Amino acid sequence: MVKCVKCGSRAAYYVSYVRGGFCRDHYLEYIEDRVVRTIERYKMIPRGSKLVVAISGGKDSVALLHILVKRREEIGYGELVAVHINLGIPGYSEEAERVFWENCRVLNVRCIKVDLGELLGVGVPDLSKLSGRPPCSVCGLVKRYVLNAIALVLGADVLATGHHLDDMLVYMLKDILSSNTEELSKLTPVSKGVEGLTVTRIRPLFEVYEENILNYAIASNISFVAGECPLKHLGAVEVESREYIEKLERRTPGFKLTAIRNILRMLRKEGEGLGATPSKCQLCGMPSRENICSFCRLTEKTLGKPMGRHVVESLARIASLTPASSLS
Ligand code: SF4
Ligand code: ZN
Ligand code: ZN
């Protein structure tokens, strides 16, 4: 019988890279400690800061929200706002939004929902069709824009997302293989913001395995969307990379953690912030590498007019109407 390394009772979960098991309670504590240590290690959340957490409804972001709320005293932020974007994906977005509100109610945090259909008149599937771009590419662009804009209008210091180690490692590998140094340089635990333009992004699950966060969500009985987005499409490089990484992890437990830390060290040596500082979009005032930002260009192409300014103004209205909670 595998025993819990903390209390000696029967282990419910085995963590291969620790080479040890944990009972349920000590497993939850272990994962929470790991997230808190990651936040401290990379100095993600200044004391007293205002934190926006992006909630998709999936296990990762919802579990992250629970951990941030549970360990608030230790982490030391001053205010927390959970933000969800309803992406208008039939059969999936309704469930994701239901899960979002359920967790908001359970945790009693300030919650803001942004509805893409209400903002633009269309959701991700139509934007994808009209632009001729893959759904995930359009979706990623829209989420980045909306989350940054709402974090700005809320006056947030930090924007947290639920990207875990497995995702980050695969993204890194893809960027290394395609020599995309600019994108690679953004895949860090903390992406520093630029005053008035971008809010600092943090990834508190940067050193947490996907398997561990899934087990955490199940063990703590958290409500999350179990199914996958019907529009999800993984390319061949991503599928093969994941399989290869898993094979190496099975052979050498802890491989993934060592690999991600090594890539990060390499990025630091090569110089952080390889990407140039963005300037302002001339139409909406949001960050852009060119005169017009990619969101304004996408909406102009698909909807006939650039919607950035309209979205930013609508988000300011939505943010001002949402009441505070006991955690704000
Ligand atoms: Fe958006 Fe793609 Fe994720 Fe679906 S799988 S929510 S389309 S990024
Ligand atoms: Zn125990
Ligand atoms: Zn713009």
Side-chain angles (χ1 to χ4, degrees), residues 130-144:
L130 292 165
S131 65
R133 288 171 56 171
C136 293
S137 146
V138 171
C139 188
L141 189 164
V142 168
K143 284 191 289 197
R144 268 194 306 279

Side-chain angles (χ1 to χ4, degrees), residues 145 281 283-286 292-293 295-296 308:
Y145 185 90
C281 168
L283 298 176
C284 69
M286 289 287 110
I292 311 296
C293 75
F295 184 82
C296 283

Side-chain angles (χ1 to χ4, degrees), residues 21-327:
F22 294 89
C23 65
R24 177 190 169 276
D25 289 353
H26 283 124
Y27 181 76
L28 297 182
E29 186 183 271
Y30 171 73
I31 299 299
E32 288 162 13
D33 284 348
R34 200 160 176 81
V35 175
V36 173
R37 276 206 308 274
T38 306
I39 290 170
E40 289 168 355
R41 182 187 179 112
Y42 296 104
K43 300 182 176 56
M44 291 182 171
I45 304 179
R47 287 202 91 73
S49 57
K50 185 170 188 175
L51 173 63
V52 165
V53 190
I55 305 297
S56 67
K59 62 187 189 311
D60 314 317
S61 58
V62 175
L64 172 63
L65 181 64
H66 279 254
I67 295 170
L68 290 171
V69 171
K70 203 166 162 188
R71 304 292 285 264
R72 180 188 187 184
E73 291 302 318
E74 239 171 305
I75 298 169
Y77 57 85
E79 189 179 343
L80 182 148
V81 186
V83 174
H84 171 72
I85 308 173
N86 184 315
L87 299 164
I89 300 170
Y92 178 75
S93 292
E94 295 86 349
E95 173 65 358
E97 188 182 324
R98 187 194 64 72
V99 162
F100 170 67
W101 288 123
E102 188 179 332
N103 281 286
C104 287
R105 187 179 46 75
V106 169
L107 296 170
N108 191 24
V109 291
R110 183 179 176 194
C111 287
I112 296 179
K113 180 208 74 169
V114 177
D115 195 305
L116 210 57
E118 284 169 16
L119 281 182
L120 301 178
V122 290
V124 164
D126 284 333
L127 280 176
S128 166
K129 267 186 223 134
L130 292 165
S131 65
R133 288 171 56 171
C136 293
S137 146
V138 171
C139 188
L141 189 164
V142 168
K143 284 191 289 197
R144 268 194 306 279
Y145 185 90
V146 170
L147 287 172
N148 183 58
I150 194 136
L152 275 177
V153 298
L154 283 165
D157 302 292
V158 189
L159 167 61
T161 60
H163 294 101
H164 49 65
L165 186 152
D166 295 61
D167 274 349
M168 296 304 289
L169 194 53
V170 171
Y171 298 156
M172 283 172 163
L173 209 59
K174 268 172 67 182
D175 286 338
I176 290 171
L177 292 174
S178 58
S179 194
N180 192 344
T181 44
E182 178 155 350
E183 284 306 309
L184 180 64
S185 73
K186 294 179 191 162
L187 299 177
T188 47
V190 178
S191 305
K192 271 266 165 245
V194 178
E195 180 72 30
L197 264 188
T198 52
V199 173
T200 295
R201 282 186 172 243
I202 61 165
R203 301 175 175 99
L205 304 184
F206 191 83
E207 296 198 346
V208 182
Y209 284 23
E210 179 173 18
E211 177 195 345
N212 294 150
I213 206 73
L214 172 65
N215 286 337
Y216 179 90
I218 294 170
S220 40
N221 223 2
I222 289 173
S223 165
F224 64 89
V225 182
E228 292 231 312
C229 169
L231 304 181
K232 186 165 185 162
H233 173 77
L234 298 181
V237 174
E238 193 163 343
V239 173
E240 302 274 329
S241 302
R242 278 182 199 272
E243 282 174 12
Y244 183 59
I245 289 168
E246 280 313 317
K247 204 166 148 189
L248 290 170
E249 176 69 29
R250 276 195 300 277
R251 192 173 292 171
T252 317
F255 164 81
K256 291 192 282 194
L257 189 57
T258 308
I260 205 162
R261 285 184 176 165
N262 283 342
I263 297 175
L264 199 58
R265 214 167 288 138
M266 180 191 82
L267 280 175
R268 285 191 175 141
K269 253 192 222 151
E270 293 300 317
E272 284 184 77
L274 283 168
T277 307
S279 51
K280 277 189 182 186
C281 168
Q282 288 177 358
L283 298 176
C284 69
M286 289 287 110
S288 178
R289 303 233 174 271
E290 297 169 39
N291 289 343
I292 311 296
C293 75
S294 43
F295 184 82
C296 283
R297 277 186 279 130
L298 173 78
T299 46
E300 181 161 36
K301 183 176 175 195
T302 51
L303 308 172
K305 71 174 188 190
M307 298 291 276
R309 185 162 292 281
H310 162 75
V311 167
V312 174
E313 287 169 3
S314 304
L315 292 177
R317 226 174 10 255
I318 293 169
S320 69
L321 291 174
T322 315
S325 77
S326 64
L327 265 189

Side-chain angles (χ1 to χ4, degrees), residues 4 6-7 9 23 26:
C4 171
K6 294 269 183 167
C7 68
S9 64
C23 65
H26 283 124

